[in-house]
Amino acid sequence: MQRPSARTADQLRDITLEAGVSLHAEGSCLARFGNTHVLCTASVEDRVPSFLRNTGKGWVTAEYGMLPRSTHSRTDREAARGKQGGRTLEIQRLIGRALRSVTDLTALGEHQIKLDCDVIQADGGTRTAAITGAWVALRIACEKLLLSGAISRQPMSDQVAALSCGVWQGMAVADLDYAEDSTAEVDANFVLSADRGLVEIQATGEDRPFTRTELNQMLDLADAGCGQLFEMQMKAVRGSF
Amino acid sequence: MQRPSARTADQLRDITLEAGVSLHAEGSCLARFGNTHVLCTASVEDRVPSFLRNTGKGWVTAEYGMLPRSTHSRTDREAARGKQGGRTLEIQRLIGRALRSVTDLTALGEHQIKLDCDVIQADGGTRTAAITGAWVALRIACEKLLLSGAISRQPMSDQVAALSCGVWQGMAVADLDYAEDSTAEVDANFVLSADRGLVEIQATGEDRPFTRTELNQMLDLADAGCGQLFEMQMKAVRGSF
Amino acid sequence: MQRPSARTADQLRDITLEAGVSLHAEGSCLARFGNTHVLCTASVEDRVPSFLRNTGKGWVTAEYGMLPRSTHSRTDREAARGKQGGRTLEIQRLIGRALRSVTDLTALGEHQIKLDCDVIQADGGTRTAAITGAWVALRIACEKLLLSGAISRQPMSDQVAALSCGVWQGMAVADLDYAEDSTAEVDANFVLSADRGLVEIQATGEDRPFTRTELNQMLDLADAGCGQLFEMQMKAVRGSF
Amino acid sequence: MQRPSARTADQLRDITLEAGVSLHAEGSCLARFGNTHVLCTASVEDRVPSFLRNTGKGWVTAEYGMLPRSTHSRTDREAARGKQGGRTLEIQRLIGRALRSVTDLTALGEHQIKLDCDVIQADGGTRTAAITGAWVALRIACEKLLLSGAISRQPMSDQVAALSCGVWQGMAVADLDYAEDSTAEVDANFVLSADRGLVEIQATGEDRPFTRTELNQMLDLADAGCGQLFEMQMKAVRGSF
Amino acid sequence: MQRPSARTADQLRDITLEAGVSLHAEGSCLARFGNTHVLCTASVEDRVPSFLRNTGKGWVTAEYGMLPRSTHSRTDREAARGKQGGRTLEIQRLIGRALRSVTDLTALGEHQIKLDCDVIQADGGTRTAAITGAWVALRIACEKLLLSGAISRQPMSDQVAALSCGVWQGMAVADLDYAEDSTAEVDANFVLSADRGLVEIQATGEDRPFTRTELNQMLDLADAGCGQLFEMQMKAVRGSF
Amino acid sequence: MQRPSARTADQLRDITLEAGVSLHAEGSCLARFGNTHVLCTASVEDRVPSFLRNTGKGWVTAEYGMLPRSTHSRTDREAARGKQGGRTLEIQRLIGRALRSVTDLTALGEHQIKLDCDVIQADGGTRTAAITGAWVALRIACEKLLLSGAISRQPMSDQVAALSCGVWQGMAVADLDYAEDSTAEVDANFVLSADRGLVEIQATGEDRPFTRTELNQMLDLADAGCGQLFEMQMKAVRGSF
């Protein structure tokens, strides 16, 4: 049975990671996973949250948002509603955790880096695109801190990338677009480190419970797919200097 | 190496699921996992959210809260701060998803059941205790709807229970208390159905990425532990009629 | 004419004040007035509000909340609505005032004690049960401060207890439950000190204005009822050491 | 001992109730109690809150506010802070209860009357001035409904007026200004009906508990003082037609 | 064609600027433009916003509000809705800008002056009345700072006054009341300095675009009208000392 | 004296209006004024605000936002702060008014079109770029409604475009970038219709009052600049069909 996107089970969408797209940000990356476009910027600040003051340690945090018409039908603007929804908070907590897991906060010194991941256009997999792109922006910002002498060693201890996988019509598939995601029986997001360690797994049986076999098939897809993403990330970072 | 709680790796805490603890609620269960105590109540309403009106279908949703001094040091009251935090929203979304995954919303008719899971005392694993107890409260509320003739067939298609597992000092362990949870390298929550299907996995490498082997060890622990919880759930339900 | 609860006019419900119910709080008391159950915890903090900084004085304040299904039909969660209602604010201001009236803030030193009064189950008279139980929690917390040497003299200068009274079918009655409260013509709350001084009176003619004679009858009932509460309070405090 | 205001214990401040001060409102009254000035307007609406729809009954409610510089030092604007404080909510609930206690909601038909009580200048006793003035505004609005034929009988079944009393230096005194109020040992607000029935009592021992004798002395003062207010109210109403 | 108000095109309403109307404020002015009544108070504070701390400079800012029944039909209270609307924020930003444009913030030293402009009654032109009256309140507050020796030179470098003008039935008219404003084709607000410099222009074609000729006619009206306002301002200031 | 941008006084930045940039929106335009990039999308809804229901008329409204790192230093996310600031509300009200001034709401029928103007990158003049681009998005959305037969005649009665002008070092200049804007003495925004009618003027003397002569010079610049914008708008619309 063919996927709605006509891709093979392990085939990723056309993916580009374009660094240096922002005039002002210390690091930036426009991550395009097919029609999903997420603008990731890294902003370096000289002050850390109060719980870290005078500890010599830094902090990395993330915020996530969607433009109102990034979605198929318009979504109300969270600023106008007066609060961020549960899904938004959940995603930005995930992005922050993922990035901190590969950051040496002591090497960062008392700097805070905020990653803003804003979805310009959505077609499934925005959170995994955000993590993948935010790593590029963060890495570039760290390089600049190093180059400027503000810090003396690289705080990024590893790479992280993320991929959404799922079970669609009984078949494990990688990098679902919206049409696939909304009809999948199982929906999962995997965050991996460059050596294929598992940083975070979020897997949900939307229609029915899933099996360990299905989990393992999805893990295999995430493993292979993130391998491609890690290469693209390094290429984007290198290309920006 | 011995766990802080002196339990074996697969040993659960003293767990009780006490049904019928609320004077007013249609279903209720006080779930005690050691010193973690979560009061779960099910409230049946005759009206559904607007997106389900006139569809003949019902809805199940959950809210989660912690009493300010359920925690080791006092946590600010969310009602006083004027909003629910990201962790709260994330947990209540998880509880709702887990319960809906085993509810036949058509059999429920146009009723909404709200599960309130309030942490009276916290010592690790509140979200998994909440899911496990909320299923009992929900099932009892459904039984009452059946007995009263408001619905004609059982909406609960299966059981769900949940367990937190982790990797502590390199050892996979089940049902972590706070002292273990705060020093674990890997932290995971598993929601399972009675036939051991996977309903939801949330696994995070807190200190370092984790391996597939560790994931499988934790899955084994969750499998065995939830087996015990399923029995306690049925006993609590049966004892309340 | 017989009260709905079949009690005599001056007869209180079955009342228990159970101290030491919280694992974490510096002081705690579960106040049960019949089916009304209020969990009161005292949390000691080393810092005072800014208006008291460097004055050598402490502060005592209270917060009040109801679990959503503590009530007959479910009440929306204040944290979800994004603000505390007028009734909640009014009650917590009352609890704080009552407790501060018997606290020597100078003897307390620069500590703040927060009393959280959470209604686990409601059946009338929650605010008076809260005051009565909160005093127990506060006193225990102060004893612990004394025992630890953090302060050198007892800050609690007196006891306070509170009782709801009303006029039901023309008869002054004490300690109304919900069935009585909702059909009473006059509704009043009295806060008394151990020597029967009046700390606070809130009296409302719900259906009609009331007379001074009725006010005096209710004052007599409050006087006698609080006498019983003061003994229970001391027994609960003594039993917890 | 002489009161700061040099008045006798039972002497009220210079009080004027000026009706018809608002170009737009259906009823209005500027209540001046010495330097305390409260503008009260009554706004009639043709729709009632949803819980009264199709019951044939109306509703009376109140809102209270203080201009930022009505107070000695500037108070932050509640609209700017984004919420009404506990004191504000408490006062507006009191005003609403007091007015509803003398309104026949069935005679009012399905109209809602909102009383806005805005403190233009504050010098103690704003809530009692607000109740006294709001009754005038409400009565005038009701007269207009009668004159227009929108309703067929008078909904105001009685008058209500309110007075603050207190114990200052051991002496019961009436109508405290700010200088007296802030140094009083006991602070009380009394709402009375025209036949001297008690509609609401709020009495607080600020510095120390108070006695029944003191309560009775304050009740006597409130009785006499409200007698004068009832006459002023009727004169203000009559003068506006 | 005659204006609804029967005034000539350049004729202002009956305008009075009454200084010293507030017991507590350091400066105050009740600005009456016909039936539009705006109470302006100036509150002096010894601390400045954080961005000015230790710069030796002061700040002037404004807040604007409308009493709920200042308007023809009742407007919901912003404090009750929990936020200030866009119109309110726009107006108070305008008032603050206008006043700061004629204040020497260095001469003001590290003081902040807050201008509260509260509309007691509205009949068109509230923002221009607010600016005109707020200048008087601000100037008086500055005089008091000078007299008290808190500052050593006058911070007010110039006067500002404001007037609303419009095009009504093709005719440029000054100082529109509500009946005119709501039927005008073009609506404009002009803020001028005493030498007729333009401080701010806000002009909107409500029904249709407008021409430069119309703009010039309105500018002429504003010029002449503000001339009268400047005289009234100085008279109000002088009369208050 | 040369402008910081080295442009002549009347020279606009490199401007492009790129239509059709959004996969989902009914109309879209990415307006680039030099380094200022604003994404404008038009979303058509079948329901109108309640005040227009059953009137046969439609509505056009706008929302404005800035990505957190669109600015030189990072700006806090309004969704995270829980409210839209005064500047944001002011700008979106301006955009909505400008577009409605050239829309025949009756021809639009009972449709609402929401224009979202999101600043991807800011370098001065975002509001004028937003108006200019939003018109393109709106016009395209209207064309689609016509083509689909949902409406039968063109609701856009005219074009609107907007340009910021200012006085910089005594010289009137057009289309200021951020470096110019932040050092200009006078700052103005002009919204014009295609026949050069004035739709809205907002002009502020930042440093000093300005003269009529300066106003006229800026009007001349706006006139000429908008002429170029009108052509680009039509080209963008035509190119998208």
Side-chain angles (χ1 to χ4, degrees):
Chain A
M1 191 157 192
Q2 206 187 35
R3 301 172 62 170
S5 63
R7 285 182 275 138
T8 58
D10 64 349
Q11 190 182 350
L12 308 187
R13 291 178 279 185
D14 287 339
I15 294 176
T16 60
L17 302 176
E18 183 182 354
V21 293
S22 161
L23 181 65
H24 304 302
E26 282 74 32
S28 65
C29 177
L30 176 58
R32 288 193 196 87
F33 281 52
N35 281 318
T36 289
H37 302 172
V38 184
L39 177 59
C40 308
T41 58
S43 297
V44 178
E45 299 176 2
D46 283 336
R47 58 200 306 274
V48 289
S50 54
F51 69 92
L52 286 174
R53 233 161 267 161
N54 303 319
T55 63
K57 286 178 140 179
W59 192 243
V60 170
T61 187
E63 293 191 6
Y64 171 91
M66 300 184 91
L67 294 194
R69 196 55 194 279
S70 62
T71 45
H72 193 269
S73 60
R74 188 180 180 275
T75 308
D76 282 346
R77 191 178 288 266
E78 291 187 322
R81 279 196 310 221
K83 63 175 178 181
Q84 295 177 295
R87 178 183 171 278
T88 293
L89 294 173
E90 193 173 312
I91 292 175
Q92 65 191 23
R93 282 158 55 91
L94 169 65
I95 302 170
R97 267 198 315 273
L99 295 173
R100 280 192 300 277
S101 78
V102 291
T103 309
D104 177 346
L105 298 175
T106 303
L108 187 54
E110 291 206 12
H111 299 92
Q112 177 166 227
I113 305 187
K114 286 189 180 153
L115 279 305
D116 286 290
C117 301
D118 284 278
V119 179
I120 306 297
Q121 193 170 275
D123 188 38
T126 62
R127 80 185 71 186
T128 45
I131 291 170
T132 305
W135 185 87
V136 173
L138 175 57
R139 177 66 191 262
I140 292 171
C142 287
E143 294 291 344
K144 289 197 185 153
L145 281 171
L146 275 170
L147 289 172
S148 73
I151 59 175
S152 55
R153 57 194 170 88
Q154 178 54 258
M156 303 309 300
S157 58
D158 200 345
Q159 282 176 264
V160 280
L163 197 67
S164 82
C165 297
V167 180
W168 183 85
Q169 302 278 358
M171 165 175 57
V173 293
D175 192 24
L176 292 75
D177 61 26
Y178 179 77
E180 293 167 341
D181 187 68
S182 56
T183 55
E185 297 106 69
V186 183
D187 188 16
N189 293 294
F190 298 95
V191 185
L192 271 70
S193 60
D195 59 357
R196 306 303 187 275
L198 296 162
V199 171
E200 180 119 5
I201 302 176
Q202 293 184 335
T204 306
E206 299 281 351
D207 265 10
R208 55 161 177 84
F210 55 101
T211 64
R212 285 215 207 176
T213 305
E214 289 171 327
L215 176 62
N216 281 321
Q217 290 169 342
M218 293 190 291
L219 279 162
D220 290 340
L221 290 171
D223 210 295
C226 284
Q228 300 176 50
L229 298 177
F230 290 124
E231 285 183 30
M232 289 185 224
Q233 286 180 327
M234 286 316 296
K235 207 169 133 189
V237 170
R238 266 183 247 115
S240 73
F241 285 96
Chain B
M1 190 157 191
Q2 205 188 35
R3 300 170 62 168
S5 63
R7 285 183 274 140
T8 58
D10 64 347
Q11 190 182 350
L12 307 187
R13 291 178 279 184
D14 287 339
I15 294 175
T16 59
L17 302 176
E18 183 182 353
V21 293
S22 159
L23 182 66
H24 303 301
E26 283 73 33
S28 65
C29 178
L30 177 58
R32 287 192 195 88
F33 281 53
N35 280 319
T36 289
H37 301 171
V38 184
L39 177 58
C40 307
T41 57
S43 297
V44 179
E45 298 176 2
D46 284 337
R47 60 201 305 274
V48 288
S50 55
F51 68 91
L52 286 174
R53 232 161 267 161
N54 304 318
T55 62
K57 286 178 140 180
W59 192 243
V60 169
T61 186
E63 293 190 7
Y64 171 93
M66 301 185 91
L67 293 193
R69 197 54 195 279
S70 62
T71 44
H72 193 269
S73 61
R74 188 178 181 276
T75 308
D76 282 346
R77 192 177 289 268
E78 291 187 322
R81 278 196 310 220
K83 63 174 177 181
Q84 297 178 293
R87 179 183 170 276
T88 293
L89 294 172
E90 192 171 313
I91 292 176
Q92 65 191 23
R93 282 160 53 93
L94 168 65
I95 302 171
R97 267 198 315 271
L99 295 173
R100 280 193 301 276
S101 78
V102 292
T103 308
D104 177 345
L105 297 175
T106 303
L108 186 56
E110 291 207 9
H111 299 91
Q112 175 164 228
I113 305 187
K114 285 190 181 153
L115 279 306
D116 286 290
C117 301
D118 283 277
V119 179
I120 306 296
Q121 194 169 275
D123 188 38
T126 63
R127 81 186 70 187
T128 44
I131 291 170
T132 306
W135 184 87
V136 174
L138 175 56
R139 177 65 190 263
I140 291 171
C142 286
E143 294 291 344
K144 287 197 186 151
L145 280 173
L146 275 170
L147 288 171
S148 74
I151 58 174
S152 54
R153 59 196 171 86
Q154 178 55 257
M156 302 309 299
S157 58
D158 200 346
Q159 281 175 265
V160 280
L163 198 67
S164 82
C165 297
V167 178
W168 183 86
Q169 302 277 359
M171 166 175 57
V173 293
D175 193 22
L176 292 76
D177 61 26
Y178 179 76
E180 294 167 342
D181 188 67
S182 55
T183 55
E185 297 105 68
V186 182
D187 188 16
N189 293 293
F190 298 94
V191 185
L192 270 70
S193 61
D195 60 357
R196 306 304 186 275
L198 296 163
V199 172
E200 179 120 4
I201 300 176
Q202 294 185 334
T204 307
E206 299 281 353
D207 266 9
R208 55 162 176 82
F210 54 102
T211 63
R212 283 215 206 177
T213 304
E214 288 171 327
L215 176 62
N216 282 321
Q217 289 168 341
M218 293 190 291
L219 279 162
D220 289 340
L221 290 171
D223 209 292
C226 285
Q228 302 175 49
L229 297 178
F230 289 126
E231 284 182 31
M232 289 185 225
Q233 284 180 327
M234 287 316 296
K235 207 168 134 190
V237 170
R238 268 184 245 113
S240 75
F241 284 94
Chain C
M1 191 157 191
Q2 206 187 35
R3 299 171 64 168
S5 63
R7 285 183 275 138
T8 57
D10 64 348
Q11 190 181 351
L12 307 186
R13 291 179 279 186
D14 287 339
I15 294 175
T16 59
L17 302 177
E18 184 181 353
V21 293
S22 160
L23 182 64
H24 303 300
E26 283 73 33
S28 64
C29 177
L30 177 57
R32 288 192 195 89
F33 281 54
N35 281 319
T36 289
H37 302 172
V38 184
L39 177 58
C40 307
T41 58
S43 297
V44 178
E45 299 175 0
D46 282 337
R47 59 198 307 274
V48 289
S50 55
F51 68 93
L52 286 174
R53 233 161 267 162
N54 303 319
T55 64
K57 287 177 138 181
W59 191 243
V60 170
T61 187
E63 292 192 6
Y64 171 94
M66 302 184 89
L67 294 193
R69 198 53 195 280
S70 61
T71 46
H72 193 268
S73 60
R74 188 177 181 277
T75 307
D76 282 346
R77 191 177 289 267
E78 290 187 323
R81 278 195 310 219
K83 63 175 176 178
Q84 297 178 294
R87 178 183 170 276
T88 293
L89 294 173
E90 192 173 314
I91 291 176
Q92 66 192 23
R93 283 159 54 92
L94 169 65
I95 301 171
R97 265 198 316 270
L99 295 172
R100 279 191 302 275
S101 79
V102 292
T103 309
D104 177 345
L105 297 174
T106 303
L108 187 55
E110 291 207 10
H111 299 93
Q112 177 165 227
I113 306 187
K114 286 191 180 151
L115 279 305
D116 286 290
C117 301
D118 283 278
V119 179
I120 306 297
Q121 192 169 276
D123 188 37
T126 62
R127 82 185 71 185
T128 45
I131 291 170
T132 305
W135 184 86
V136 173
L138 175 57
R139 176 65 192 264
I140 291 170
C142 285
E143 295 289 344
K144 288 196 185 152
L145 281 172
L146 275 171
L147 288 171
S148 72
I151 59 174
S152 55
R153 58 195 169 87
Q154 178 55 258
M156 304 308 299
S157 58
D158 200 346
Q159 283 176 263
V160 280
L163 196 68
S164 82
C165 296
V167 179
W168 183 85
Q169 301 278 356
M171 169 174 55
V173 293
D175 192 24
L176 291 77
D177 62 26
Y178 179 76
E180 294 167 342
D181 188 69
S182 57
T183 56
E185 297 106 68
V186 182
D187 188 16
N189 294 293
F190 298 95
V191 185
L192 270 70
S193 60
D195 61 356
R196 307 302 188 277
L198 296 163
V199 171
E200 181 119 4
I201 301 176
Q202 292 185 336
T204 307
E206 299 281 352
D207 266 10
R208 56 162 175 83
F210 55 102
T211 64
R212 285 216 206 173
T213 304
E214 288 170 332
L215 175 61
N216 281 321
Q217 289 169 343
M218 293 191 292
L219 279 163
D220 290 340
L221 290 170
D223 209 293
C226 285
Q228 300 175 50
L229 298 177
F230 289 126
E231 284 182 30
M232 289 185 225
Q233 285 180 328
M234 286 315 297
K235 210 170 132 188
V237 170
R238 268 182 247 114
S240 74
F241 283 95
Chain D
M1 190 158 193
Q2 204 188 35
R3 303 172 61 169
S5 62
R7 284 183 275 138
T8 58
D10 63 347
Q11 191 181 350
L12 308 186
R13 291 179 278 185
D14 287 338
I15 294 176
T16 59
L17 302 176
E18 184 181 353
V21 294
S22 160
L23 182 65
H24 303 301
E26 283 73 31
S28 65
C29 177
L30 176 58
R32 287 192 196 90
F33 281 53
N35 280 319
T36 289
H37 302 172
V38 185
L39 177 58
C40 308
T41 59
S43 296
V44 178
E45 298 176 0
D46 283 337
R47 59 198 308 273
V48 289
S50 55
F51 68 93
L52 285 174
R53 232 160 269 162
N54 302 320
T55 63
K57 286 177 139 180
W59 192 242
V60 169
T61 187
E63 293 191 5
Y64 171 92
M66 300 184 92
L67 294 193
R69 197 53 195 281
S70 61
T71 46
H72 193 270
S73 60
R74 189 178 179 275
T75 308
D76 282 347
R77 192 177 288 267
E78 291 187 321
R81 280 195 311 219
K83 64 175 174 178
Q84 296 178 295
R87 179 183 170 277
T88 294
L89 294 172
E90 193 172 312
I91 292 176
Q92 66 191 23
R93 283 160 54 93
L94 168 65
I95 302 171
R97 267 198 316 272
L99 295 174
R100 281 193 299 277
S101 79
V102 292
T103 309
D104 177 345
L105 297 174
T106 303
L108 187 55
E110 291 207 9
H111 299 92
Q112 176 165 228
I113 304 187
K114 286 189 180 152
L115 279 306
D116 287 289
C117 301
D118 284 276
V119 178
I120 305 298
Q121 191 169 277
D123 188 37
T126 62
R127 82 185 71 185
T128 44
I131 292 171
T132 304
W135 184 86
V136 173
L138 176 56
R139 176 65 191 263
I140 292 171
C142 286
E143 294 291 342
K144 288 198 185 150
L145 281 172
L146 274 171
L147 288 172
S148 74
I151 58 174
S152 54
R153 59 196 168 85
Q154 177 55 256
M156 304 309 298
S157 58
D158 200 346
Q159 281 175 264
V160 280
L163 197 69
S164 82
C165 297
V167 178
W168 184 85
Q169 302 278 356
M171 168 174 57
V173 293
D175 192 23
L176 292 75
D177 60 27
Y178 180 76
E180 294 167 341
D181 188 67
S182 56
T183 56
E185 297 105 68
V186 182
D187 188 16
N189 293 293
F190 298 95
V191 185
L192 271 71
S193 60
D195 60 358
R196 307 303 188 275
L198 296 162
V199 171
E200 180 120 5
I201 301 176
Q202 294 185 335
T204 306
E206 299 282 350
D207 266 9
R208 57 163 176 81
F210 55 101
T211 64
R212 285 216 206 174
T213 304
E214 289 171 329
L215 176 62
N216 281 320
Q217 289 169 343
M218 292 190 292
L219 279 163
D220 289 340
L221 290 171
D223 209 293
C226 285
Q228 299 175 49
L229 298 177
F230 289 126
E231 284 182 30
M232 289 184 225
Q233 285 180 327
M234 286 315 299
K235 209 169 131 189
V237 171
R238 266 184 246 114
S240 74
F241 285 95
Chain E
M1 192 158 189
Q2 204 186 36
R3 300 170 63 169
S5 63
R7 284 184 276 138
T8 58
D10 63 347
Q11 190 183 352
L12 308 187
R13 291 180 279 184
D14 286 340
I15 294 176
T16 60
L17 302 176
E18 183 181 354
V21 294
S22 160
L23 182 64
H24 303 301
E26 283 73 32
S28 64
C29 178
L30 176 58
R32 288 192 195 89
F33 281 53
N35 282 318
T36 289
H37 301 171
V38 184
L39 178 58
C40 308
T41 59
S43 296
V44 178
E45 299 176 359
D46 282 338
R47 59 200 305 275
V48 288
S50 54
F51 68 92
L52 285 174
R53 232 162 267 163
N54 304 319
T55 62
K57 285 179 143 183
W59 192 243
V60 170
T61 186
E63 293 192 4
Y64 171 93
M66 301 184 90
L67 294 193
R69 198 52 195 282
S70 63
T71 44
H72 193 268
S73 60
R74 187 178 181 276
T75 308
D76 282 347
R77 190 178 290 267
E78 291 187 322
R81 280 195 311 219
K83 63 174 175 179
Q84 296 178 292
R87 180 184 168 276
T88 293
L89 294 173
E90 192 173 312
I91 291 175
Q92 65 191 23
R93 283 160 54 91
L94 168 64
I95 301 171
R97 266 197 317 270
L99 294 174
R100 280 192 301 276
S101 78
V102 291
T103 309
D104 176 344
L105 297 174
T106 303
L108 187 55
E110 290 206 11
H111 299 91
Q112 176 165 227
I113 305 188
K114 286 190 181 153
L115 279 305
D116 286 290
C117 302
D118 284 277
V119 179
I120 306 298
Q121 192 169 278
D123 188 38
T126 63
R127 81 186 67 186
T128 43
I131 291 170
T132 305
W135 184 87
V136 173
L138 175 56
R139 175 67 191 262
I140 291 172
C142 287
E143 295 290 344
K144 288 196 186 153
L145 282 171
L146 275 171
L147 288 172
S148 73
I151 58 175
S152 55
R153 56 194 170 88
Q154 178 54 258
M156 303 309 299
S157 58
D158 199 345
Q159 280 175 265
V160 279
L163 197 68
S164 83
C165 298
V167 178
W168 183 85
Q169 301 278 357
M171 167 175 57
V173 293
D175 192 23
L176 291 75
D177 60 27
Y178 179 76
E180 293 167 343
D181 187 68
S182 56
T183 55
E185 295 106 68
V186 182
D187 187 17
N189 293 293
F190 299 94
V191 185
L192 270 70
S193 60
D195 61 356
R196 307 304 187 273
L198 296 163
V199 171
E200 179 120 6
I201 301 176
Q202 294 184 336
T204 307
E206 299 282 351
D207 267 9
R208 55 161 176 83
F210 55 101
T211 63
R212 285 216 205 174
T213 304
E214 288 170 329
L215 176 61
N216 282 320
Q217 289 169 341
M218 293 190 292
L219 279 162
D220 289 340
L221 290 171
D223 210 292
C226 285
Q228 301 175 48
L229 297 177
F230 290 125
E231 284 182 31
M232 290 185 224
Q233 286 180 327
M234 286 315 297
K235 206 169 134 191
V237 170
R238 268 184 245 114
S240 74
F241 285 94
Chain F
M1 190 157 193
Q2 205 187 36
R3 300 172 61 169
S5 63
R7 284 183 275 139
T8 57
D10 65 347
Q11 191 182 349
L12 307 187
R13 291 179 278 185
D14 286 339
I15 294 175
T16 60
L17 302 177
E18 184 181 354
V21 293
S22 159
L23 183 64
H24 304 301
E26 282 75 30
S28 65
C29 177
L30 177 57
R32 288 193 196 87
F33 280 53
N35 281 319
T36 289
H37 302 172
V38 184
L39 178 58
C40 308
T41 58
S43 297
V44 179
E45 299 176 1
D46 283 336
R47 60 200 305 275
V48 287
S50 55
F51 70 91
L52 284 175
R53 232 161 268 159
N54 304 318
T55 63
K57 286 177 141 179
W59 192 243
V60 170
T61 186
E63 293 192 5
Y64 171 92
M66 300 184 92
L67 294 193
R69 198 54 194 280
S70 61
T71 45
H72 193 268
S73 60
R74 188 178 180 275
T75 308
D76 282 347
R77 193 177 287 268
E78 291 188 321
R81 279 196 311 220
K83 61 176 177 180
Q84 297 178 294
R87 180 183 169 276
T88 294
L89 294 173
E90 193 172 311
I91 292 176
Q92 65 191 23
R93 283 158 54 91
L94 168 66
I95 301 171
R97 266 199 315 272
L99 295 173
R100 280 193 301 278
S101 80
V102 291
T103 310
D104 176 345
L105 297 174
T106 303
L108 187 55
E110 291 208 8
H111 299 91
Q112 177 166 228
I113 305 186
K114 286 191 179 149
L115 280 304
D116 286 290
C117 301
D118 283 277
V119 179
I120 305 299
Q121 192 169 278
D123 188 37
T126 62
R127 80 187 69 185
T128 44
I131 291 170
T132 306
W135 185 86
V136 173
L138 175 57
R139 176 64 191 264
I140 291 171
C142 286
E143 294 290 343
K144 288 198 186 150
L145 281 172
L146 274 170
L147 288 171
S148 73
I151 58 173
S152 54
R153 59 197 169 87
Q154 179 54 259
M156 303 309 298
S157 57
D158 200 345
Q159 281 175 266
V160 280
L163 197 68
S164 82
C165 297
V167 179
W168 183 86
Q169 301 277 359
M171 165 175 58
V173 292
D175 193 24
L176 291 76
D177 60 27
Y178 178 77
E180 294 166 341
D181 187 68
S182 55
T183 54
E185 296 105 68
V186 182
D187 188 15
N189 293 293
F190 298 94
V191 186
L192 270 70
S193 60
D195 60 356
R196 305 307 186 273
L198 297 163
V199 171
E200 182 120 4
I201 300 176
Q202 294 185 336
T204 306
E206 300 282 351
D207 267 8
R208 56 160 176 83
F210 55 104
T211 63
R212 285 214 205 175
T213 304
E214 289 170 328
L215 175 62
N216 281 321
Q217 289 169 342
M218 293 190 291
L219 278 163
D220 289 341
L221 290 171
D223 208 293
C226 286
Q228 300 175 50
L229 298 177
F230 290 124
E231 282 182 32
M232 290 186 223
Q233 284 180 326
M234 286 316 297
K235 207 169 132 188
V237 170
R238 264 181 254 125
S240 75
F241 286 94

